[in-house]
Every structure is written in C-alpha cells, then in structure tokens.
Amino acid sequence: MSHTLNGIAAGGGVTIAPVYVMGASSLTAPAKAANDEDHEAKRLHDSFSLTRKDLVKIGQQVEEEFGHPIATVQTLITIIDDSNIRQLAQDMLIENRWTAEWTVEQLVSQLKKLSTVAVSSPFWNNAVNDLGQRMLSHLLHKPIPDAANLDHRAVVIAHSISPTQIVRFDRQLVAAIVTDLGGATSHFSLLTEELAIPGVVATHEVTKYAHDDMVAIVDGIHGKVILQPSPQEIDDYQKMAAQYARGNNLLGKLKHEETRSADGQRIRVSANISLPDEISTVADSGAEGIGLFRTEFMVMKDAQLASEERQFQAYKKAVTAMPDQLIVVRTLDIGNDKLVDNLEVDNYQLNPALGMRGIRLGLAHEELLRPQLRALLRASAYGKVAIMFPMVTTVAEFRKARDIVDQEIDHLKQQGYDLADDIQVGMMVETPAAVTMADQLAQYADFFSIGSNDLVQYLFATDRTNDDTKSLYQPLHPAMLRSIFRVIRQAHTEGKWVSLCGEMAALHVAEPLLLAMGLDEFSVPADHVLSLRHLISGLSARQLQPVLHKALSLQNASEVEQLIKKTLPDLYQEK
C-alpha cells in the first residue's frame, strides 16, 4: 500500500526510482573546557585549514563536471577565508577556555545570528551549518555521511543534506533528493535545478517510513513523495514526467524573449540574490534583471564593515555579468543588535524588529551608509545600478537618504570618477506607514519595491516564526492585497514603477492577482523565473480585473485562495 508525504517543492521534475537512505549527518560536540589552550588553538586552526582544503578539492571536482564554478562552494570558501571569522573563533576559544570542538559549535551559533533580524541571505544558515559540520568532522575524526557508496540510480533520502553534499552527488545515479528538514531556500533550489533533479524538503518524517530499495515517486513540482506507489500512480506520474520534460523545452525558448501577458502588458521577471557569486547562475536562469541584491553578507564580516573598495569590487562583479539589465541593490538591512562591533551604539534592543534597523541605522551612522553608497555609485559606471533603501517609514528619512546619495555623487565626480547619469534611487515598502504615505513617497522615490515578508508581519503584528501567531501570517489576506494595490496605484499616478520581492512574488496562487494589479516587476528565486514568465504569458491582466475586485471584497485569505483556484482551475490542478 502506498504512503504519501507532503513537503516543499525544492526542485522541479518528477522521478521514479528505488530509495537510498543516507545516514544522519549531524555531528555535535559537548560543552567542555580546554586543558591546554595552545593545543586547542592549534587544533582549531588545523580544522579551518583542512576544511578549506576539502572545499577547494570539491570545488575543483564540481567545476570539472559542470564546466564552471558552483556558487555554493565558492561561498563557503569565501566564508572560511575571512580573517575576521577566523579571528573571532580564536578569540572565543581563548577568552572562554573552550575546546576546539565547542568553539566551532559556538561559532556556528554566533554566525547564524547575522541573518535573524532582517531577511538577508536565505541560505546563510545552511552554509554556516555546512562549514561547522566539516570542521567538526576533522576535529572529531568522524566522517560526514554521503552517497559515495551508491552504485545504482536511486532517490536519496536523508534527515538533512548540506550544500556541499549535494554538489558531490553523481548526477547519473541520484534521481532525486528528499529530506525531513529544510525549506525551499535558494541554494537547495538552485543546486537541484543545476543538477537537473527533483527535490522535496520539509517532509518531516520521510526517514521514518523509507528504507533502502523501496520504490519512491518524487514529485518536485508539487512537493509530494509517494513510497511504494501503486501501478496506477506509477503510470500517472510517468505521464507527468514526460509532460514536464516537454514543458521545460518550451520554457527554454522564453529566455530570449520579453515577458508579456496575453494582452500585451510588459512585465519584468527578475531574480533575488545575496552574493555576487550567484550572478552567473542567475544570468543563465532567464531572469530579466536583479530585483533584490541583498548586501548584508558582504557588508558584515564577523560584525565588521567591509571597505568601500571591497564592496565596489563585489558590486562591479555583479553588474558586469548582466550589463544590460537593471541590478537593484538594497542597502544594508539589519538591526544594530546584530551589527558591527566598531559602531558606538547601544546593542541591546528589547524588540529589534521595531528598533534601529535598515535606513534608520544608516542615517544614524553615516560612516556605515556612505561607503556603501560610494561603492554602488562607482559600480554604476559598469552597468545599470539602482539603489534601494529598506525599512522606510517617513518621507523625511527617505529625502535625507536621497540627499546623502546626491552629496556622494558630487564628491565622486569631483574626485574624477565616472558615474552613470541615470542612477535610480528607490525604497522598500515594508510598513503600514509606507503604504499609507505611498502617494507622497512616490513623489521622491524613483521606484517602490514591496517587501511582502515584512509587510505581512507588520500589517498583522505577527511573527511568522512564532508558533502561537504564525497563523496570522497571511499574504493572500484582503488587507494585504488592498495594501499592495494601493501602493501600485499611487506609484503609477506619479509615473513610478513597482516591484515585489518577497516570497509572495513566487506564490503561485498570488501571481495572477499581482499581475491584475499592474505590478511592473516580480523578483523571485532564480529557479522560479521561467515558470513565472510562462504563467504570465498565458494570463490577461484585463480579463483578471473582475477576479481581482472580487478578491479585494472578500474577508479572509482562504476565500481568496479558493476564488483563484476556482477561477483558474487549469493552473492549480492538484495531483
């Protein structure tokens, strides 16, 4: 009898193959004081060196296979090469008299905090965990489980899988990846896309029911796993797999065309990135630009500010890779409770989400903001760069930020730098205050980018990570839809364009409504770009107007979802 598990689709496609269960990969170390600090310091140093050696070897192997570097491995090498991170680890060990193993555990915990206040790198935690596990493997002399023993094509099932484990998989043998844990994070999705294999994560209990040589269907389109499927299920999914392959061939043709709705409305579908190394993957994804370039990772190196020159080189790398397409770069978006040690601020905040973060922190500490703006302005000479300020709530703070941009433009020109003549300066719309004042803000901003993740949380005063209140996190709620529609209308009145860069942009059931509202740009994970472009090409914004107005009149998110699925049944068939 078949057993079906639901999870999150993390890689398109459908496959049917035997199961291979990979062992648990979580290494841990006990809290323990060091007997010999010098010895432990040397062990810690050696674990950094050995892990780096591992990563370089993996990078060489995958580059030979793919024909180009893989951003995941390059990112990990960048992190482990950072002298500030290494120094932090050494300081933690010496100051606390810890063992090397426990220092690594605490280092991982500390580095994870860098992305907890603002929505920054969506795969940062995965990368940090991966490094920690590799370092612990050397310190504890225990191997990290992998699929090296796999000698036949199979669905790899595990409790969790790290990015470097994924890139080492033999594409000829790994038919799909399924995990208990995880989410549809950019690294997992980009890697499964690049490996051209289906993936389903967050099934919670697949390892409880799966065992070696059991047959499994992995539906990476809808996020389903069927263990021991019936003959009828196998037949149905074989047909789906063939249909998906035909669809992929059609999607590939969209890369070289503009995205237009069925009634001719021009829409830009761009991608989100968090690291310059991702740009090569995005450039090949069919994205029509970068709608959100998060800069937290580059600006923060163990709570230190990257130099203007270092930032400039990173931005230049991105814009030269896509010189004809707009790259929208968000200035640093993080709270001071997780920020730089060399800023003289009170780091304690009872509620950092409502405290000094985003543009507030930048304006309070121009020594943080100005070098980043100068780096961005200098990079504008090499491509199309737009600057975007996060967490704007008042007209006054945006005008002040824009004045600083103008000042830095004048200073750089006086110093002889070549700059672009048409640098757009826009802002994130993430708060109810910005929604309410959109008509006035649109008089000063060149564009708006709606950050749906934060806007939903602030609109409903809820934390989606809080189990008691996360049910209130409802992107499809009419209150959210009305807010977005208001922002778009007010911006268009002033002749300004609007993007949406949160998770809602990749929410399949929301996309027709956003199109009907007149959204100018969707900014989504790279693996979602072509499917969204295909969806838009088959929808008419004009014909969706009655659906939009009906949705705006409803009372809750469930009613909105049912309306869309009933109105557009062909798009939302459930398997």
Side-chain angles (χ1 to χ4, degrees):
M1 184 176 182
S2 65
H3 183 87
T4 301
L5 298 106
N6 294 305
I8 298 174
V14 175
T15 196
I16 305 169
V19 165
Y20 174 83
V21 180
M22 199 168 78
S25 59
S26 181
L27 301 176
T28 59
K32 191 175 179 181
N35 294 322
D36 184 338
E37 289 181 27
D38 290 340
H39 176 64
E40 294 301 321
K42 184 180 184 305
R43 293 180 65 231
L44 180 65
H45 177 272
D46 289 345
S47 71
F48 271 100
S49 299
L50 291 170
T51 299
R52 188 189 190 284
K53 186 177 180 181
D54 289 344
L55 293 173
V56 170
K57 183 178 180 180
I58 293 172
Q60 292 171 343
Q61 291 173 341
V62 297
E63 185 170 354
E64 288 178 5
E65 181 175 357
F66 287 94
H68 59 81
I70 298 298
T72 302
V73 181
Q74 298 302 312
T75 298
L76 293 173
I77 293 174
T78 298
I79 297 172
I80 206 164
D81 276 348
D82 193 299
S83 59
N84 292 317
I85 289 178
R86 293 195 180 210
Q87 188 60 52
L88 173 63
Q90 289 288 344
D91 291 346
M92 291 171 70
L93 184 148
I94 294 170
E95 291 173 10
N96 297 285
R97 301 179 61 85
W98 287 335
T99 61
E101 293 91 339
W102 185 241
T103 300
V104 170
E105 290 269 22
Q106 295 307 301
L107 176 66
V108 168
S109 178
Q110 184 71 17
L111 292 177
K112 282 182 180 180
K113 294 177 182 178
L114 294 179
S115 65
T116 57
V117 174
V119 180
S120 58
S121 170
F123 49 78
W124 174 250
N125 282 358
N126 280 353
V128 171
N129 276 332
D130 199 338
L131 283 178
Q133 288 294 297
R134 292 195 168 277
M135 292 175 71
L136 286 175
S137 175
H138 288 293
L139 290 167
L140 299 172
H141 303 291
K142 293 181 179 179
I144 295 177
D146 59 27
N149 295 326
L150 189 60
D151 59 3
H152 60 282
R153 188 171 182 273
V155 173
V156 174
I157 290 179
H159 184 61
S160 64
I161 297 178
S162 72
T164 52
Q165 286 175 312
I166 296 173
V167 298
R168 295 187 68 189
F169 286 157
D170 186 332
R171 285 186 291 173
Q172 302 302 314
L173 298 180
V174 176
I177 302 172
V178 183
T179 62
D180 290 331
L181 304 182
T185 57
S186 290
H187 262 171
F188 198 103
S189 296
L190 287 173
L191 284 169
T192 50
E193 179 188 31
E194 189 134 29
L195 289 164
I197 56 177
V200 177
V201 299
T203 62
H204 302 298
E205 53 184 6
V206 66
T207 55
K208 177 181 177 181
Y209 297 101
H211 56 76
D212 288 351
D213 298 325
M214 174 185 280
V215 173
I217 293 174
V218 179
D219 178 358
I221 305 169
H222 304 96
K224 291 189 177 185
V225 180
I226 303 175
L227 301 175
Q228 295 297 71
S230 67
Q232 184 61 54
E233 288 171 324
I234 292 175
D235 184 58
D236 290 342
Y237 274 92
Q238 283 176 335
K239 292 176 181 177
M240 184 188 294
Q243 183 179 6
Y244 180 80
R246 289 193 296 271
N248 265 352
N249 291 332
L250 293 175
L251 287 180
K253 298 178 181 178
L254 292 175
K255 288 185 179 182
H256 309 294
E257 303 173 1
E258 285 188 343
T259 304
R260 291 189 180 274
S261 63
D263 55 340
Q265 184 172 316
R266 174 71 173 104
I267 308 295
R268 189 165 63 244
V269 179
S270 299
N272 305 326
I273 66 170
S274 300
L275 297 165
D277 287 337
E278 294 175 65
I279 199 75
S280 59
T281 302
V282 169
D284 293 334
S285 72
E288 298 172 285
I290 301 297
L292 172 62
F293 186 170
R294 305 176 180 92
T295 60
E296 290 74 32
F297 179 82
M298 288 190 302
V299 178
M300 295 181 309
K301 294 294 182 182
D302 172 31
Q304 299 295 320
L305 301 180
S307 67
E308 176 185 329
E309 184 62 27
R310 186 172 184 176
Q311 293 186 60
F312 163 68
Q313 293 297 336
Y315 303 140
K316 178 183 174 183
K317 178 178 182 179
V319 299
T320 53
M322 301 176 73
D324 298 323
Q325 295 169 316
L326 186 65
I327 310 295
V328 179
V329 183
R330 184 181 70 186
T331 60
L332 185 65
D333 185 16
I334 196 162
N336 71 357
D337 64 319
K338 298 294 188 295
L339 195 58
V340 293
D341 290 340
N342 55 337
L343 287 184
E344 295 180 359
V345 294
D346 177 9
N347 281 343
Y348 176 73
Q349 297 187 93
L350 185 62
N351 191 339
L354 299 179
M356 289 289 287
R357 58 167 287 199
I359 194 173
R360 300 171 182 177
L361 192 67
L363 293 178
H365 295 277
E366 293 183 17
E367 71 273 26
L368 168 67
L369 179 62
R370 287 181 181 270
Q372 183 173 28
L373 292 177
R374 287 195 296 269
L376 285 168
L377 292 168
R378 290 169 56 193
S380 72
Y382 299 89
K384 297 180 180 180
V385 175
I387 297 172
M388 181 166 68
F389 290 103
M391 194 64 181
V392 175
T393 56
T394 69
V395 174
E397 61 188 2
F398 182 78
R399 293 185 67 181
K400 184 177 179 181
R402 182 139 200 171
D403 285 343
I404 293 174
V405 174
D406 292 338
Q407 292 167 18
E408 291 302 333
I409 288 175
D410 290 341
H411 292 160
L412 288 170
K413 286 183 176 179
Q414 290 171 12
Q415 295 170 26
Y417 285 101
D418 291 327
L419 308 179
D421 295 325
D422 55 349
I423 303 169
Q424 297 186 67
V425 181
M427 56 167 277
M428 299 282 292
V429 176
E430 303 168 278
T431 66
V435 172
T436 305
M437 297 295 289
D439 57 330
Q440 295 192 29
L441 286 164
Q443 296 175 32
Y444 301 98
D446 293 324
F447 64 91
F448 287 153
S449 181
I450 300 171
S452 63
N453 297 355
D454 273 345
L455 183 55
V456 174
Q457 293 190 107
Y458 288 127
L459 194 62
F460 291 96
T462 185
D463 178 359
R464 61 177 175 162
T465 66
N466 185 321
D467 289 338
D468 295 326
T469 64
K470 66 181 181 181
S471 62
L472 292 170
Y473 185 85
Q474 301 177 35
L476 286 177
H477 194 283
M480 181 66 175
L481 299 179
R482 292 182 186 189
S483 297
I484 294 172
F485 196 26
R486 172 184 171 82
V487 171
I488 294 173
R489 291 201 313 269
Q490 298 293 351
H492 287 177
T493 297
E494 295 294 332
K496 309 300 172 63
W497 58 275
V498 183
S499 175
L500 193 144
C501 61
E503 292 176 1
M504 188 178 181
L507 187 61
H508 204 29
V509 74
E511 289 161 348
L513 294 174
L514 296 172
L515 174 66
M517 290 181 193
L519 187 69
D520 301 290
E521 178 187 70
F522 293 77
S523 190
V524 296
D527 65 321
H528 195 74
V529 166
L530 286 180
S531 61
L532 175 55
R533 292 181 64 183
H534 177 67
L535 174 69
I536 291 171
S537 69
L539 295 173
S540 167
R542 284 196 294 269
Q543 291 178 4
L544 287 169
Q545 293 306 306
V547 182
L548 170 62
H549 291 293
K550 176 64 176 177
L552 294 172
S553 72
L554 298 175
Q555 295 185 357
N556 58 61
S558 178
E559 290 178 347
V560 172
E561 183 173 1
Q562 291 305 312
L563 170 67
I564 297 300
K565 290 183 176 180
K566 181 179 179 181
T567 307
L568 303 169
D570 292 342
L571 297 180
Y572 303 101
Q573 291 179 350
E574 295 289 341
K575 285 299 295 183

